[in-house]
Amino acid sequence: MFRTALRNVLAHRGRLLMTTLAVLLGTGFMTGTMIFSDSIHQAANNSRSKDFTGISVQVADDTAGLPSSARQNSTKSSARLTEATVRRIAALPGVAGTRAEVSGTAAIADKNGNMIGDIMRSTGANFVPDAAGNDARYPMLQGRGPHTATEVALDRGTVEKAGYRLGDTVRIAANGPAISVTLTGVFSSDAPAVRSGNPLALLDTQGARRVLSLAPDQYSSIDVTAAPGTSETALLHAVTPLVPGGNQFRVETGAQLAAQQAERLAQSGRSLATMLTTAAGISLFIGIFLIANTFTMLVAQRTRQLALLRAIGAGRSQVTRSVLIEALLVGLSGSAAGLLLGIGIGAALAAGVKSLDADLPRAGVVITPTTVLITLLVGTLVTVLSAALPALRACRIPPVAALSSGEQPATHRSLFLRNVLGSLTTAGGLGLVVLGSTERGATARLPLMAGALLAVLGIVQLLPLLSRPVIALARPPLARLCGTPGSLAALNAIRNPRRTASTAAALTIGLTLVTAMTVIGASVSDAIDRAVTQEMTADYVVTTLTGTLDPSIATSVAHAPGVVASSPVTDVEWSIAGERTEAKGLDADSADQLVRPNMSQGAATALKRGQILVDSSFASRHGLAVGSTVTVAAPHGTGIRLTVGGVFAPSRMLAPVLLPGGVVAAHQPYAPAQQILVKGANGATPAFKQALKDATGRSPVVEVENKQNLRDGFDRTITFALNLLYALLVMSLLVAALGVVNTLAMAVFERRRELGLLRAIGLDRGGVKRMVRLESVLISVFGAAIGMAFGVFLAWAAGTTMTVTLPELRTVLPYPKLLLMLLAAVLVGLAAAQWPARRAARLDVLDSITAD
Amino acid sequence: MVMDAMTTTTYAAAARARGLHKVYGEGETRVLALDDVSVEFPRGEFAAIMGPSGSGKSTLMHCMAGLDSVTSGSATIGDVELVGMKDKQLTRLRRDRIGFIFQAFNLMPTLTAMENITLPGDIAGRKPDRDWLARVVDAVGLADRLKHRPGQLSGGQQQRVACARALAGKPEIIFADEPTGNLDSHAGAEVLALLGSCVRDFGQSVVMVTHDPVAAAHADRVVFLADGRIVDELRTPTADSVLDRMRRLDRVG
Ligand SMILES: Nc1ncnc2c1ncn2[C@@H]1O[C@H](COP(=O)(O)OP(=O)(O)O)[C@@H](O)[C@H]1O
Ligand SMILES: [Mg+2]
């Protein structure tokens, strides 16, 4: 029987090719997405991870180096980890070694004063040399480690990015002003963060303290290694009493640290993971779809063949077995090849995404056993199921009936059940989406996502029903534009709604997702754009990458040449009118030159009179209008009475309440500014920007950004997500194209007689080709259009839930991009029709007429 | 324009073949389907081509209608030579100057009867001649079925729609390959009567391939084919006289 199956596989090369290709592409697509997803995830985790091997117990001072104000806020005592602490711990029995660290976030400037890499993952630390002058953690590749407070060693990646050579001057900064140090060495590191491309600067211990603003005898952490035979917990108990400051410092075992890190990574990577899992899920769905679809297409041909086998005397169980073995062969070999293809796709995707955004962590190709297992299992199982089920059903038909059926008619099995189920699912899904859209913020997410998924499933079910009216709508214009071929193409496209639907479905699913994300992205960009361009009249915003600004920076900016107006912006959280709310303090005299809130009542100049401005939603919550008085409670003062001088439209750039700078200074004097708004005499010019950079000591952590930079900063995350999705779109287009080729090839084969008739009564080859191509385009555009329409709806629903965090948000349709997607669908249709159209045009007229 | 040609060049035949040869295959499988056939179908004539199965009737029709290439010889429609034409020209010629009725599968299943009737004109992008169309539809007697699709029509009705389609374009000549081959005798008679009225009432030229003597008896003239050669001809035939000739042919063959 195995031989019969094998012979059967080999005897029908065309079918074999089609099905294997379907399995190959289906699984490849799926595997590629999974591998890509795992790789990105791994890379993201690596870049955020620390290596805790060799650390049995760690004592850490998380506040070391923070500005005094923040320190006061978070701690009562001012104990420090010092050399004395280290010595006491080292003297404990069971301690094999200690390593006292000075480390923290620090920015390293390139030759132009711009920061290298991402501030959140850029680190400065102390070099801890042994007697020979080496630090085992950081083997030197070139030069030597830092010996004095003015020397530095950098990791190889950073040196390469910046193009530094030994002996060059490097500027490094954390919270304070930048300091200049000399590059004495280049090292390599096994630390995952460094390996994934994050900068690390090693200074001598004093130098590190200077950059990170630590006291001259202070450490930020002490790593303790246990001697053999001493457990981490035992050591923890021994170390804890020696640590000063009560429970001011963290004292944890290596195991605890690793566990916490895993937890933290899982938390921080959650949204990325959700996105990638969704992508993988969708690819799985589309992959299964393609395979099942291809087999459904071929079942007609198949049925007759099996009947023939039965007619010439093969037993039912024999036929069944041969079918199963055949499917197994195709499924296994197809998914094995798909696995290889998927590895290629995954690697290409990772490389592609990386090339779009150089600051992304470097990604290796991660192939997990789960991926391999799922690929082989899904590929084989889906193949066997979708090949075997219809074939087995066919076996139950008496052979003679199957053989004599002649022309295979379009199955007119009732769509009733499918339509009812589809309608219910769609209605339920849409209901959930609408319900979700009435919620605000995070609570909306679950109903929205579940609803979207449900509705997509429902819509796919309803595609056959939708195909008739939608495509019928296209017939008159198509007939006018393309004549008879156009008209016939439209009729052909709805001849077998089931088939048209399953062909279009891959596009529908792909485009729903991509359209939704594109529209959301465009809407968010638009909202930010409007906020930035309309509500901000400042030319530059000065910020530090660490978040808070030293008051000295505000003063130097104010005195920089060319500054017309400048104001520090201080974020505070006060209780205003009984509600604990975010408020921004602005310099009362210059605020009206730097921000332009969209005022509905009063004027922004009210700040000059010591009055406050509130946004309309805050005003309506508390029944406030111009002239109302509110009671304010601040850290230094309660029962402060302030007058409302104006009401403005809620804005992402501003806070619900704007306060005169003087009021903030009076009631929370230590509050640091987060940014400084600056207006120049000649607007935003490179020279003015340089003047501001110079005034702030050309520190790599001080950023001087214009409006465009601000917009780009917001856009970056959106763009990244969209790029991921576009990669997905490209693949779903590929898969869809294969489906279309399938459908059309079948159609041309089945309709060869009428093609012959058309040729006989005067339709030329070009006309036949046009007809097939147009049908193909119709099917793909139909699928795409339904997906896009639903995607826009989803984007609207998601958009309304986001107005909490982005009040300016309104749904914006990026027509050029949407048009481009539609165009892509047209191209897929055209490309997929290429071969079937050629075949149709080449059909011999007489053969076709006389065929039976 | 076609009508003009009809009236001005009265003597030009609607279709003509001269020394037509058609060879299928090569070497051992070589078949000489047409062997030096010369025949002329004048305007306004209802001609039938008869002969035993495999005698080359369909081949002759296909070659003269520009559906198949000839090995040697000449074939003309009106005063246009078909031999040597490119596929595109042949297609246009079939569309504009020839009407076709095949034995089966004459109609596009997706189009209504009316759409099928106007299909060649639609392909050409011509505006339909309403009055003419009304006359044609009236003649085939399907005025109440025009919105139906082929699947909803009987075999005879389908063939009548095919006749209407052939007539609608006012072609130089209508070729019908066994148009009654799949019909019962009653429906067949209707179709034959219709073909006859094409010639008598509409001044068309019709060439019909058949192997049914009763069908052939409707024609003005019957041309007999055997082994790819024209072997006989009969004017104003009756079913009996045709049958008689056929028997003689068989005996000779
Ligand atoms: N496409 C073809 N290839 C080879 N031989 C053919 C082909 N078409 C017809 N023939 C042969 O040509 C001869 C005439 O066929 P045909 O014109 O169909 O006869 P008729 O229509 O009179 O039955 C037959 O011997 C037939 O076998
Ligand atoms: Mg024949």
mmCIF file with all atom_site columns, all heavy atoms in Angstrom, chain A residues 475 484 491 754 757 759-760 762 764 846, chain B residues 68 87-88 94 106 108 111 115 122-123:
data_model
loop_
_atom_site.group_PDB
_atom_site.id
_atom_site.type_symbol
_atom_site.label_atom_id
_atom_site.label_alt_id
_atom_site.label_comp_id
_atom_site.label_asym_id
_atom_site.label_entity_id
_atom_site.label_seq_id
_atom_site.pdbx_PDB_ins_code
_atom_site.Cartn_x
_atom_site.Cartn_y
_atom_site.Cartn_z
_atom_site.occupancy
_atom_site.B_iso_or_equiv
_atom_site.pdbx_formal_charge
_atom_site.auth_seq_id
_atom_site.auth_comp_id
_atom_site.auth_asym_id
_atom_site.auth_atom_id
_atom_site.pdbx_PDB_model_num
ATOM 1   N N   . ARG A 1 475 ? -19.211 45.219 -10.881 1.00 0.00 ? 475 ARG A N   1
ATOM 2   C CA  . ARG A 1 475 ? -19.366 44.789 -12.268 1.00 0.00 ? 475 ARG A CA  1
ATOM 3   C C   . ARG A 1 475 ? -19.639 45.938 -13.235 1.00 0.00 ? 475 ARG A C   1
ATOM 4   O O   . ARG A 1 475 ? -18.954 46.047 -14.259 1.00 0.00 ? 475 ARG A O   1
ATOM 5   C CB  . ARG A 1 475 ? -20.466 43.729 -12.370 1.00 0.00 ? 475 ARG A CB  1
ATOM 6   C CG  . ARG A 1 475 ? -20.474 43.063 -13.735 1.00 0.00 ? 475 ARG A CG  1
ATOM 7   C CD  . ARG A 1 475 ? -21.588 42.049 -13.857 1.00 0.00 ? 475 ARG A CD  1
ATOM 8   N NE  . ARG A 1 475 ? -21.785 41.708 -15.264 1.00 0.00 ? 475 ARG A NE  1
ATOM 9   C CZ  . ARG A 1 475 ? -22.914 41.227 -15.757 1.00 0.00 ? 475 ARG A CZ  1
ATOM 10  N NH1 . ARG A 1 475 ? -23.955 41.048 -14.971 1.00 0.00 ? 475 ARG A NH1 1
ATOM 11  N NH2 . ARG A 1 475 ? -22.997 40.947 -17.030 1.00 0.00 ? 475 ARG A NH2 1
ATOM 12  N N   . THR A 1 484 ? -16.312 43.605 -22.089 1.00 0.00 ? 484 THR A N   1
ATOM 13  C CA  . THR A 1 484 ? -16.810 42.274 -21.784 1.00 0.00 ? 484 THR A CA  1
ATOM 14  C C   . THR A 1 484 ? -15.905 41.489 -20.836 1.00 0.00 ? 484 THR A C   1
ATOM 15  O O   . THR A 1 484 ? -16.405 40.870 -19.909 1.00 0.00 ? 484 THR A O   1
ATOM 16  C CB  . THR A 1 484 ? -17.023 41.494 -23.087 1.00 0.00 ? 484 THR A CB  1
ATOM 17  O OG1 . THR A 1 484 ? -17.731 42.343 -23.978 1.00 0.00 ? 484 THR A OG1 1
ATOM 18  C CG2 . THR A 1 484 ? -17.802 40.242 -22.847 1.00 0.00 ? 484 THR A CG2 1
ATOM 19  N N   . LEU A 1 491 ? -18.484 38.310 -13.006 1.00 0.00 ? 491 LEU A N   1
ATOM 20  C CA  . LEU A 1 491 ? -19.406 37.177 -12.880 1.00 0.00 ? 491 LEU A CA  1
ATOM 21  C C   . LEU A 1 491 ? -18.664 35.931 -12.434 1.00 0.00 ? 491 LEU A C   1
ATOM 22  O O   . LEU A 1 491 ? -19.143 35.166 -11.596 1.00 0.00 ? 491 LEU A O   1
ATOM 23  C CB  . LEU A 1 491 ? -20.091 36.931 -14.218 1.00 0.00 ? 491 LEU A CB  1
ATOM 24  C CG  . LEU A 1 491 ? -21.120 37.995 -14.599 1.00 0.00 ? 491 LEU A CG  1
ATOM 25  C CD1 . LEU A 1 491 ? -21.557 37.808 -16.034 1.00 0.00 ? 491 LEU A CD1 1
ATOM 26  C CD2 . LEU A 1 491 ? -22.318 37.924 -13.662 1.00 0.00 ? 491 LEU A CD2 1
ATOM 27  N N   . GLU A 1 754 ? -15.822 27.023 -21.861 1.00 0.00 ? 754 GLU A N   1
ATOM 28  C CA  . GLU A 1 754 ? -16.365 28.347 -22.147 1.00 0.00 ? 754 GLU A CA  1
ATOM 29  C C   . GLU A 1 754 ? -15.276 29.306 -22.603 1.00 0.00 ? 754 GLU A C   1
ATOM 30  O O   . GLU A 1 754 ? -15.550 30.235 -23.356 1.00 0.00 ? 754 GLU A O   1
ATOM 31  C CB  . GLU A 1 754 ? -17.144 28.911 -20.960 1.00 0.00 ? 754 GLU A CB  1
ATOM 32  C CG  . GLU A 1 754 ? -16.402 28.869 -19.659 1.00 0.00 ? 754 GLU A CG  1
ATOM 33  C CD  . GLU A 1 754 ? -17.290 29.331 -18.515 1.00 0.00 ? 754 GLU A CD  1
ATOM 34  O OE1 . GLU A 1 754 ? -17.327 30.536 -18.248 1.00 0.00 ? 754 GLU A OE1 1
ATOM 35  O OE2 . GLU A 1 754 ? -17.936 28.464 -17.921 1.00 0.00 ? 754 GLU A OE2 1
ATOM 36  N N   . LEU A 1 757 ? -15.207 28.630 -26.177 1.00 0.00 ? 757 LEU A N   1
ATOM 37  C CA  . LEU A 1 757 ? -16.373 29.254 -26.810 1.00 0.00 ? 757 LEU A CA  1
ATOM 38  C C   . LEU A 1 757 ? -16.118 30.755 -27.014 1.00 0.00 ? 757 LEU A C   1
ATOM 39  O O   . LEU A 1 757 ? -16.357 31.310 -28.093 1.00 0.00 ? 757 LEU A O   1
ATOM 40  C CB  . LEU A 1 757 ? -17.605 29.036 -25.935 1.00 0.00 ? 757 LEU A CB  1
ATOM 41  C CG  . LEU A 1 757 ? -18.870 29.740 -26.411 1.00 0.00 ? 757 LEU A CG  1
ATOM 42  C CD1 . LEU A 1 757 ? -19.373 29.094 -27.691 1.00 0.00 ? 757 LEU A CD1 1
ATOM 43  C CD2 . LEU A 1 757 ? -19.936 29.733 -25.339 1.00 0.00 ? 757 LEU A CD2 1
ATOM 44  N N   . ARG A 1 759 ? -13.337 32.291 -27.241 1.00 0.00 ? 759 ARG A N   1
ATOM 45  C CA  . ARG A 1 759 ? -12.333 32.493 -28.290 1.00 0.00 ? 759 ARG A CA  1
ATOM 46  C C   . ARG A 1 759 ? -12.975 32.306 -29.664 1.00 0.00 ? 759 ARG A C   1
ATOM 47  O O   . ARG A 1 759 ? -12.723 33.058 -30.585 1.00 0.00 ? 759 ARG A O   1
ATOM 48  C CB  . ARG A 1 759 ? -11.179 31.506 -28.115 1.00 0.00 ? 759 ARG A CB  1
ATOM 49  C CG  . ARG A 1 759 ? -10.376 31.709 -26.862 1.00 0.00 ? 759 ARG A CG  1
ATOM 50  C CD  . ARG A 1 759 ? -9.289  32.751 -27.021 1.00 0.00 ? 759 ARG A CD  1
ATOM 51  N NE  . ARG A 1 759 ? -8.241  32.320 -27.945 1.00 0.00 ? 759 ARG A NE  1
ATOM 52  C CZ  . ARG A 1 759 ? -7.957  32.908 -29.077 1.00 0.00 ? 759 ARG A CZ  1
ATOM 53  N NH1 . ARG A 1 759 ? -8.642  33.951 -29.470 1.00 0.00 ? 759 ARG A NH1 1
ATOM 54  N NH2 . ARG A 1 759 ? -6.981  32.468 -29.845 1.00 0.00 ? 759 ARG A NH2 1
ATOM 55  N N   . ALA A 1 760 ? -13.849 31.275 -29.780 1.00 0.00 ? 760 ALA A N   1
ATOM 56  C CA  . ALA A 1 760 ? -14.478 30.989 -31.068 1.00 0.00 ? 760 ALA A CA  1
ATOM 57  C C   . ALA A 1 760 ? -15.350 32.155 -31.521 1.00 0.00 ? 760 ALA A C   1
ATOM 58  O O   . ALA A 1 760 ? -15.308 32.548 -32.680 1.00 0.00 ? 760 ALA A O   1
ATOM 59  C CB  . ALA A 1 760 ? -15.306 29.712 -30.978 1.00 0.00 ? 760 ALA A CB  1
ATOM 60  N N   . GLY A 1 762 ? -15.065 35.173 -30.778 1.00 0.00 ? 762 GLY A N   1
ATOM 61  C CA  . GLY A 1 762 ? -14.378 36.408 -31.091 1.00 0.00 ? 762 GLY A CA  1
ATOM 62  C C   . GLY A 1 762 ? -13.677 37.156 -29.975 1.00 0.00 ? 762 GLY A C   1
ATOM 63  O O   . GLY A 1 762 ? -13.308 38.309 -30.141 1.00 0.00 ? 762 GLY A O   1
ATOM 64  N N   . ASP A 1 764 ? -10.320 37.813 -28.229 1.00 0.00 ? 764 ASP A N   1
ATOM 65  C CA  . ASP A 1 764 ? -8.931  37.469 -28.551 1.00 0.00 ? 764 ASP A CA  1
ATOM 66  C C   . ASP A 1 764 ? -8.155  37.069 -27.301 1.00 0.00 ? 764 ASP A C   1
ATOM 67  O O   . ASP A 1 764 ? -8.657  37.149 -26.183 1.00 0.00 ? 764 ASP A O   1
ATOM 68  C CB  . ASP A 1 764 ? -8.242  38.608 -29.310 1.00 0.00 ? 764 ASP A CB  1
ATOM 69  C CG  . ASP A 1 764 ? -8.252  39.896 -28.525 1.00 0.00 ? 764 ASP A CG  1
ATOM 70  O OD1 . ASP A 1 764 ? -8.528  39.839 -27.307 1.00 0.00 ? 764 ASP A OD1 1
ATOM 71  O OD2 . ASP A 1 764 ? -7.998  40.959 -29.121 1.00 0.00 ? 764 ASP A OD2 1
ATOM 72  N N   . LEU A 1 846 ? -10.212 24.696 -30.464 1.00 0.00 ? 846 LEU A N   1
ATOM 73  C CA  . LEU A 1 846 ? -10.967 23.500 -30.841 1.00 0.00 ? 846 LEU A CA  1
ATOM 74  C C   . LEU A 1 846 ? -10.965 22.463 -29.736 1.00 0.00 ? 846 LEU A C   1
ATOM 75  O O   . LEU A 1 846 ? -11.980 21.875 -29.424 1.00 0.00 ? 846 LEU A O   1
ATOM 76  C CB  . LEU A 1 846 ? -10.381 22.907 -32.115 1.00 0.00 ? 846 LEU A CB  1
ATOM 77  C CG  . LEU A 1 846 ? -10.704 23.728 -33.349 1.00 0.00 ? 846 LEU A CG  1
ATOM 78  C CD1 . LEU A 1 846 ? -9.992  23.151 -34.546 1.00 0.00 ? 846 LEU A CD1 1
ATOM 79  C CD2 . LEU A 1 846 ? -12.202 23.778 -33.581 1.00 0.00 ? 846 LEU A CD2 1
ATOM 80  N N   . ASP B 2 68  ? -9.464  26.668 -37.326 1.00 0.00 ? 68  ASP B N   1
ATOM 81  C CA  . ASP B 2 68  ? -8.347  25.747 -37.407 1.00 0.00 ? 68  ASP B CA  1
ATOM 82  C C   . ASP B 2 68  ? -7.485  26.167 -38.591 1.00 0.00 ? 68  ASP B C   1
ATOM 83  O O   . ASP B 2 68  ? -7.985  26.785 -39.545 1.00 0.00 ? 68  ASP B O   1
ATOM 84  C CB  . ASP B 2 68  ? -8.880  24.316 -37.607 1.00 0.00 ? 68  ASP B CB  1
ATOM 85  C CG  . ASP B 2 68  ? -7.874  23.280 -37.100 1.00 0.00 ? 68  ASP B CG  1
ATOM 86  O OD1 . ASP B 2 68  ? -6.737  23.672 -36.761 1.00 0.00 ? 68  ASP B OD1 1
ATOM 87  O OD2 . ASP B 2 68  ? -8.235  22.097 -37.038 1.00 0.00 ? 68  ASP B OD2 1
ATOM 88  N N   . ASP B 2 87  ? -3.580  35.097 -35.597 1.00 0.00 ? 87  ASP B N   1
ATOM 89  C CA  . ASP B 2 87  ? -4.639  34.727 -34.663 1.00 0.00 ? 87  ASP B CA  1
ATOM 90  C C   . ASP B 2 87  ? -5.563  35.911 -34.355 1.00 0.00 ? 87  ASP B C   1
ATOM 91  O O   . ASP B 2 87  ? -6.774  35.781 -34.302 1.00 0.00 ? 87  ASP B O   1
ATOM 92  C CB  . ASP B 2 87  ? -4.024  34.212 -33.360 1.00 0.00 ? 87  ASP B CB  1
ATOM 93  C CG  . ASP B 2 87  ? -5.084  33.806 -32.358 1.00 0.00 ? 87  ASP B CG  1
ATOM 94  O OD1 . ASP B 2 87  ? -5.677  32.727 -32.538 1.00 0.00 ? 87  ASP B OD1 1
ATOM 95  O OD2 . ASP B 2 87  ? -5.356  34.583 -31.426 1.00 0.00 ? 87  ASP B OD2 1
ATOM 96  N N   . LYS B 2 88  ? -4.960  37.080 -34.190 1.00 0.00 ? 88  LYS B N   1
ATOM 97  C CA  . LYS B 2 88  ? -5.750  38.245 -33.807 1.00 0.00 ? 88  LYS B CA  1
ATOM 98  C C   . LYS B 2 88  ? -6.748  38.615 -34.910 1.00 0.00 ? 88  LYS B C   1
ATOM 99  O O   . LYS B 2 88  ? -7.915  38.905 -34.639 1.00 0.00 ? 88  LYS B O   1
ATOM 100 C CB  . LYS B 2 88  ? -4.806  39.420 -33.530 1.00 0.00 ? 88  LYS B CB  1
ATOM 101 C CG  . LYS B 2 88  ? -5.361  40.388 -32.506 1.00 0.00 ? 88  LYS B CG  1
ATOM 102 C CD  . LYS B 2 88  ? -4.335  41.433 -32.105 1.00 0.00 ? 88  LYS B CD  1
ATOM 103 C CE  . LYS B 2 88  ? -4.993  42.435 -31.188 1.00 0.00 ? 88  LYS B CE  1
ATOM 104 N NZ  . LYS B 2 88  ? -4.947  42.039 -29.782 1.00 0.00 ? 88  LYS B NZ  1
ATOM 105 N N   . ARG B 2 94  ? -13.895 36.169 -36.979 1.00 0.00 ? 94  ARG B N   1
ATOM 106 C CA  . ARG B 2 94  ? -14.941 35.314 -36.406 1.00 0.00 ? 94  ARG B CA  1
ATOM 107 C C   . ARG B 2 94  ? -15.961 36.157 -35.660 1.00 0.00 ? 94  ARG B C   1
ATOM 108 O O   . ARG B 2 94  ? -17.156 35.940 -35.739 1.00 0.00 ? 94  ARG B O   1
ATOM 109 C CB  . ARG B 2 94  ? -14.321 34.298 -35.431 1.00 0.00 ? 94  ARG B CB  1
ATOM 110 C CG  . ARG B 2 94  ? -13.475 33.239 -36.071 1.00 0.00 ? 94  ARG B CG  1
ATOM 111 C CD  . ARG B 2 94  ? -13.266 32.056 -35.119 1.00 0.00 ? 94  ARG B CD  1
ATOM 112 N NE  . ARG B 2 94  ? -12.628 32.422 -33.871 1.00 0.00 ? 94  ARG B NE  1
ATOM 113 C CZ  . ARG B 2 94  ? -11.310 32.327 -33.653 1.00 0.00 ? 94  ARG B CZ  1
ATOM 114 N NH1 . ARG B 2 94  ? -10.511 31.885 -34.593 1.00 0.00 ? 94  ARG B NH1 1
ATOM 115 N NH2 . ARG B 2 94  ? -10.814 32.679 -32.493 1.00 0.00 ? 94  ARG B NH2 1
ATOM 116 N N   . ASN B 2 106 ? -22.964 26.000 -26.022 1.00 0.00 ? 106 ASN B N   1
ATOM 117 C CA  . ASN B 2 106 ? -22.919 27.172 -26.874 1.00 0.00 ? 106 ASN B CA  1
ATOM 118 C C   . ASN B 2 106 ? -22.913 28.476 -26.117 1.00 0.00 ? 106 ASN B C   1
ATOM 119 O O   . ASN B 2 106 ? -22.573 29.501 -26.667 1.00 0.00 ? 106 ASN B O   1
ATOM 120 C CB  . ASN B 2 106 ? -24.184 27.176 -27.734 1.00 0.00 ? 106 ASN B CB  1
ATOM 121 C CG  . ASN B 2 106 ? -23.894 26.682 -29.106 1.00 0.00 ? 106 ASN B CG  1
ATOM 122 O OD1 . ASN B 2 106 ? -23.016 27.215 -29.751 1.00 0.00 ? 106 ASN B OD1 1
ATOM 123 N ND2 . ASN B 2 106 ? -24.589 25.655 -29.529 1.00 0.00 ? 106 ASN B ND2 1
ATOM 124 N N   . MET B 2 108 ? -22.502 31.047 -22.566 1.00 0.00 ? 108 MET B N   1
ATOM 125 C CA  . MET B 2 108 ? -21.767 31.325 -21.335 1.00 0.00 ? 108 MET B CA  1
ATOM 126 C C   . MET B 2 108 ? -22.719 31.130 -20.161 1.00 0.00 ? 108 MET B C   1
ATOM 127 O O   . MET B 2 108 ? -23.737 31.827 -20.074 1.00 0.00 ? 108 MET B O   1
ATOM 128 C CB  . MET B 2 108 ? -21.266 32.758 -21.330 1.00 0.00 ? 108 MET B CB  1
ATOM 129 C CG  . MET B 2 108 ? -20.160 33.028 -22.329 1.00 0.00 ? 108 MET B CG  1
ATOM 130 S SD  . MET B 2 108 ? -18.701 32.054 -21.967 1.00 0.00 ? 108 MET B SD  1
ATOM 131 C CE  . MET B 2 108 ? -18.195 32.803 -20.437 1.00 0.00 ? 108 MET B CE  1
ATOM 132 N N   . LEU B 2 111 ? -23.909 34.227 -18.131 1.00 0.00 ? 111 LEU B N   1
ATOM 133 C CA  . LEU B 2 111 ? -24.645 35.340 -18.736 1.00 0.00 ? 111 LEU B CA  1
ATOM 134 C C   . LEU B 2 111 ? -26.100 34.954 -18.970 1.00 0.00 ? 111 LEU B C   1
ATOM 135 O O   . LEU B 2 111 ? -26.416 33.778 -19.169 1.00 0.00 ? 111 LEU B O   1
ATOM 136 C CB  . LEU B 2 111 ? -23.993 35.729 -20.064 1.00 0.00 ? 111 LEU B CB  1
ATOM 137 C CG  . LEU B 2 111 ? -22.551 36.223 -19.980 1.00 0.00 ? 111 LEU B CG  1
ATOM 138 C CD1 . LEU B 2 111 ? -22.021 36.534 -21.371 1.00 0.00 ? 111 LEU B CD1 1
ATOM 139 C CD2 . LEU B 2 111 ? -22.454 37.456 -19.096 1.00 0.00 ? 111 LEU B CD2 1
ATOM 140 N N   . GLU B 2 115 ? -27.808 38.526 -22.713 1.00 0.00 ? 115 GLU B N   1
ATOM 141 C CA  . GLU B 2 115 ? -26.377 38.872 -22.706 1.00 0.00 ? 115 GLU B CA  1
ATOM 142 C C   . GLU B 2 115 ? -25.592 37.954 -23.625 1.00 0.00 ? 115 GLU B C   1
ATOM 143 O O   . GLU B 2 115 ? -24.638 38.376 -24.278 1.00 0.00 ? 115 GLU B O   1
ATOM 144 C CB  . GLU B 2 115 ? -25.824 38.788 -21.281 1.00 0.00 ? 115 GLU B CB  1
ATOM 145 C CG  . GLU B 2 115 ? -26.287 39.931 -20.392 1.00 0.00 ? 115 GLU B CG  1
ATOM 146 C CD  . GLU B 2 115 ? -25.993 39.693 -18.918 1.00 0.00 ? 115 GLU B CD  1
ATOM 147 O OE1 . GLU B 2 115 ? -25.884 38.517 -18.495 1.00 0.00 ? 115 GLU B OE1 1
ATOM 148 O OE2 . GLU B 2 115 ? -25.873 40.676 -18.188 1.00 0.00 ? 115 GLU B OE2 1
ATOM 149 N N   . ASP B 2 122 ? -20.867 42.862 -27.934 1.00 0.00 ? 122 ASP B N   1
ATOM 150 C CA  . ASP B 2 122 ? -20.308 43.487 -26.730 1.00 0.00 ? 122 ASP B CA  1
ATOM 151 C C   . ASP B 2 122 ? -18.790 43.380 -26.715 1.00 0.00 ? 122 ASP B C   1
ATOM 152 O O   . ASP B 2 122 ? -18.092 44.325 -26.345 1.00 0.00 ? 122 ASP B O   1
ATOM 153 C CB  . ASP B 2 122 ? -20.869 42.822 -25.477 1.00 0.00 ? 122 ASP B CB  1
ATOM 154 C CG  . ASP B 2 122 ? -22.330 43.184 -25.242 1.00 0.00 ? 122 ASP B CG  1
ATOM 155 O OD1 . ASP B 2 122 ? -22.789 44.176 -25.855 1.00 0.00 ? 122 ASP B OD1 1
ATOM 156 O OD2 . ASP B 2 122 ? -23.001 42.477 -24.472 1.00 0.00 ? 122 ASP B OD2 1
ATOM 157 N N   . ILE B 2 123 ? -18.307 42.200 -27.129 1.00 0.00 ? 123 ILE B N   1
ATOM 158 C CA  . ILE B 2 123 ? -16.855 42.027 -27.166 1.00 0.00 ? 123 ILE B CA  1
ATOM 159 C C   . ILE B 2 123 ? -16.248 43.047 -28.123 1.00 0.00 ? 123 ILE B C   1
ATOM 160 O O   . ILE B 2 123 ? -15.213 43.655 -27.843 1.00 0.00 ? 123 ILE B O   1
ATOM 161 C CB  . ILE B 2 123 ? -16.483 40.591 -27.597 1.00 0.00 ? 123 ILE B CB  1
ATOM 162 C CG1 . ILE B 2 123 ? -16.904 39.600 -26.516 1.00 0.00 ? 123 ILE B CG1 1
ATOM 163 C CG2 . ILE B 2 123 ? -14.988 40.476 -27.862 1.00 0.00 ? 123 ILE B CG2 1
ATOM 164 C CD1 . ILE B 2 123 ? -16.730 38.148 -26.917 1.00 0.00 ? 123 ILE B CD1 1
#
